[in-house]
């Protein structure tokens, strides 16, 4: 639980009166499989202490000494990754951290500076010169080895199209799979059930004081949550004796919305390739016997959509709409709200590969024939504003999706398609055939192990895209 002293104990919270954020300690209980991270904010206004917990699903047997050491190593990284959730309440200049290896320091500094890019932009903060890390005089732990994990894949399933594609790619290759989620929300459960796979759930509990301080004036905004979920997944793999953790982040995640103070402002930073490589390097010094990678890294969102459109079992149950994941039940929608950037992008990305009637049945409305959606689509296509702070594809591939959708006979006369195609042409940015092929072609920059790359290429070769002329 949190402890508050000084002026933070009541009334208004003043971020400028806190000067230091410190990592105050962590615990990893091998018996209860509970990880606890503690943090402290301090300054002229007193101190605020935070604590958050993660509870992992139990395996079939107690942890061996080797796995207990591995769990502690991963828990330490998880403790570090969860820190930005509490740091951001005041975003002070100084952060006191435990001793870090060079790989850990590079990973963590980037997690603050680039992972909090959206938060900084929204709050008018320059993170190019802060935070400044002050390391304590202890020692980074040695790698944990001797785990002897089984050949098995723990696949993070969020309930969206990408993880469903990963499940099918690996299943077609004959891999032994376990679906994993933090929180166990319905969309993830439904997708795992559609795949017919075991579903493992871990739990995260934020310090309740965080919400109280947000309401009292603390700074707030987006944090690099994929880094946190990734480490919970690795910790779960340690417990279950699994040798690889698979995420489904694509190459489109690398595209920032804009740059500020010399740093990319990217809602999806912790899904990007640079973040993946930094985390992999940190994990190599902690649990070298467990692999971590993103299976769909070579693909654009549009190419993933082309594969997903053929997976009939998942079409009725998947969702990428954030409104479906709201904590407050009264504000939560069934699957799709129909008026957010995620709904617009998913509808657009699938439009070249699914019929109009099928898409409308899934999302509940024809978003490409609703003029109220025009301004939102203009942002996705880079015609106004900037790429939304959401997990949406690159501007270029959204333009390609629109051009391909316009070629479908059942889209003829669709209001949004007609208007936006005219605007792309007027601006001189309508994609040609070369741009279309580039958006759909797989890339060769990734961290896939050979067996995963072979599995992905096998599925791609058997599901070539039929591009409308």
């Amino acid at each position: 639980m949190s402890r508050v002293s000084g002026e933070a104990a009541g009334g208004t919270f003043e971020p400028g009166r806190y000067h230091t954020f410190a990592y105050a300690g962590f615990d990893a209980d091998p018996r209860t499989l509970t990880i606890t991270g503690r943090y402290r904010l301090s300054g002229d206004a007193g101190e605020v202490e935070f604590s958050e917990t993660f509870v992992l699903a139990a395996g079939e047997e107690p942890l061996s000494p080797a796995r207990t050491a591995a769990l502690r190593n991963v828990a330490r990284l998880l403790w570090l990754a969860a820190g930005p959730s509490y740091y951001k309440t005041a975003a002070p200049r100084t952060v006191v951290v435990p001793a870090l290896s060079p790989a850990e320091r590079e990973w963590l500094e980037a997690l603050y500076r680039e992972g909090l890019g959206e938060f900084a932009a929204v709050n008018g903060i320059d993170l190019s010169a802060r935070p400044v890390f002050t390391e304590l005089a202890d020692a980074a732990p040695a790698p944990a080895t001797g785990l002897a994990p089984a050949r098995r894949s723990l696949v993070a399933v969020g309930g969206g199209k990408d993880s469903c594609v990963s499940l099918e790619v690996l299943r077609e290759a004959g891999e032994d799979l376990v679906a994993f989620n933090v929180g166990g929300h319905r969309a993830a459960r439904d997708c795992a059930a559609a795949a017919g796979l075991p579903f493992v759930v871990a739990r995260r509990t934020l310090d309740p004081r965080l919400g109280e301080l947000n309401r009292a004036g603390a700074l707030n905004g987006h944090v690099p949550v994929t880094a946190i979920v990734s480490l919970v997944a690795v910790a779960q793999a340690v417990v279950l004796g699994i040798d690889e953790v698979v995420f489904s982040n694509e190459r489109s995640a690398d595209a920032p919305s804009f740059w500020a103070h010399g740093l990319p402002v990217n809602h999806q930073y912790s899904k990007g390739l640079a973040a993946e490589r930094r985390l992999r390097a940190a994990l190599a010094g902690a649990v070298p016997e467990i692999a971590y990678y993103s299976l769909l890294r070579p693909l654009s969102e549009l190419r993933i959509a082309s594969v997903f459109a053929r997976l009939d079992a998942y079409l009725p149950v998947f969702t990428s709409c954030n409104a479906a994941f709201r904590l407050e039940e009264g504000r939560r929608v069934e699957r799709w709200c129909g008026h957010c950037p995620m709904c617009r992008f998913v509808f657009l990305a699938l439009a070249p590969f699914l019929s109009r009637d099928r898409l409308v049945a899934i999302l509940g409305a024809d978003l490409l024939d609703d003029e109220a959606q025009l301004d939102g689509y203009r942002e996705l296509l880079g015609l106004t504003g900037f790429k939304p702070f959401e997990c949406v594809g690159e501007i270029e591939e959204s333009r390609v999706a629109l051009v391909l959708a316009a070629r479908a006979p059942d889209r003829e006369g669709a209001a949004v398609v007609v208007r936006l195609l005219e605007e792309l042409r007027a601006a001189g940015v309508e994609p040609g055939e070369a741009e279309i092929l580039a958006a759909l072609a797989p890339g060769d920059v990734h961290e896939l192990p050979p067996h995963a790359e072979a599995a992905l290429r096998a599925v791609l070769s058997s599901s070539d895209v039929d591009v409308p002329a």
Side-chain angles (χ1 to χ4, degrees):
M1 296 298 292
S2 57
R3 181 177 65 83
V4 185
S5 63
E7 292 192 8
T12 302
F13 180 85
E14 299 181 51
R17 300 192 65 192
Y18 295 88
H19 315 307
T20 302
F21 177 77
Y23 284 85
F26 78 97
D27 300 304
D29 188 330
R31 183 180 58 83
T32 63
L33 303 178
T34 299
I35 297 168
T36 304
R38 298 183 297 278
Y39 313 91
R40 181 182 303 113
L41 192 65
S42 59
D44 299 338
E47 290 187 344
V48 183
E49 292 189 355
F50 302 101
S51 174
E52 84 164 64
T53 60
F54 300 86
V55 180
L56 305 172
E60 295 181 356
E61 56 189 30
L63 297 188
S64 66
R67 288 188 192 173
T68 297
L71 178 63
R72 183 166 180 82
N73 279 4
V74 178
R76 176 177 167 276
L77 295 178
L78 177 56
W79 168 54
L80 295 173
S85 296
Y86 302 96
Y87 166 84
K88 69 178 173 62
T89 57
R93 176 176 173 78
T94 301
V95 173
V96 180
V97 297
L100 303 171
S101 70
E104 289 172 346
R105 188 177 184 96
E106 180 182 348
W107 163 68
L108 192 61
E109 285 187 340
L111 200 63
Y112 274 81
R113 295 214 172 107
E114 297 185 47
L116 290 175
E118 177 185 333
F119 158 81
V122 169
N123 288 280
I125 296 171
D126 179 2
L127 288 179
S128 62
R130 61 166 159 164
V132 175
F133 283 6
T134 300
E135 290 189 37
L136 298 176
D138 51 5
T145 57
L147 278 62
R151 181 67 195 83
R152 206 176 188 194
S153 301
L154 186 77
V155 183
V157 175
K161 67 185 187 313
D162 299 353
S163 55
C164 296
V165 170
S166 288
L167 291 176
E168 291 305 306
V169 166
L170 294 174
R171 186 158 66 175
E172 288 198 20
E175 297 287 342
D176 186 6
L177 308 179
V178 177
F180 170 79
N181 181 262
V182 177
H185 55 76
R186 185 186 58 195
R189 288 199 311 269
D190 289 349
C191 288
L197 292 173
F199 185 52
V200 172
V201 176
R203 305 286 176 181
R204 179 190 186 192
T205 304
L206 288 161
D207 192 310
R209 186 62 181 168
L210 189 60
E212 296 173 15
L213 293 184
N214 288 339
R215 292 186 290 273
L219 300 175
N220 198 9
H222 179 72
V223 298
V225 70
T226 298
I228 299 170
V229 176
S230 295
L231 286 161
V232 179
V234 175
Q236 187 66 69
V238 169
V239 170
L240 299 180
I242 291 174
D243 75 335
E244 71 173 26
V245 172
V246 182
F247 273 66
S248 305
N249 305 318
E250 71 297 322
R251 72 172 188 236
S252 307
D254 289 336
S257 292
F258 53 85
W259 288 69
H261 306 292
L263 294 171
V265 178
N266 184 0
H267 176 84
Q268 301 187 82
Y269 164 75
S270 59
K271 290 186 174 182
L273 179 60
E276 178 184 343
R277 285 175 167 168
R278 288 165 176 153
L279 179 54
R280 281 168 56 87
L283 284 167
V287 281
E289 295 173 9
I290 296 180
Y292 166 84
Y293 63 90
S294 293
L295 179 63
L296 306 186
R297 182 68 65 195
L299 307 183
S300 68
E301 283 273 26
L302 195 58
R303 185 67 176 94
I304 294 168
S306 73
V307 177
F308 178 73
R310 305 181 184 200
L311 304 180
D312 288 340
Y314 301 99
L315 292 177
V317 298
F318 88 107
T319 185
S320 300
C321 176
N322 289 330
F325 303 108
R326 288 172 178 159
L327 296 178
E328 308 93 331
E329 289 191 19
R331 300 180 60 234
R332 191 185 308 155
V333 301
E334 183 73 14
R335 295 197 186 276
W336 305 95
C337 73
H339 50 74
C340 72
M342 290 298 295
C343 286
R344 292 186 194 102
F345 178 73
V346 170
F347 196 98
L348 178 62
L350 288 172
F353 313 112
L354 288 176
S355 70
R356 175 192 177 279
D357 289 346
R358 189 75 184 274
L359 257 181
V360 170
I362 293 170
L363 273 85
D366 189 347
L367 276 60
L368 290 177
D369 198 25
D370 176 6
E371 293 192 356
Q373 306 285 353
L374 274 169
D375 286 343
Y377 274 116
R378 288 183 177 117
E379 290 182 351
L380 288 174
L381 272 62
L383 293 169
T384 187
F386 55 83
K387 186 166 75 77
F389 288 146
E390 295 284 358
C391 296
V392 297
E394 297 175 317
I395 286 171
E396 292 76 10
E397 66 181 311
S398 290
R399 293 171 178 173
V400 167
L402 184 81
V403 168
L404 294 180
R407 296 178 181 179
D410 61 356
R411 297 262 167 228
E412 185 175 358
V416 172
V417 174
V418 171
R419 179 79 69 85
L420 292 178
L421 197 56
E422 292 173 351
E423 293 180 15
L424 288 179
R425 289 169 178 165
V429 292
E430 180 185 8
E433 297 308 310
E435 290 84 359
I436 291 172
L437 292 176
L440 294 169
D444 56 7
V445 180
H446 55 77
E447 295 293 331
L448 274 64
H451 73 274
E453 183 177 7
L456 181 61
R457 293 197 177 278
V459 167
L460 295 179
S461 66
S462 66
S463 58
D464 289 337
V465 183
D466 184 15
V467 178

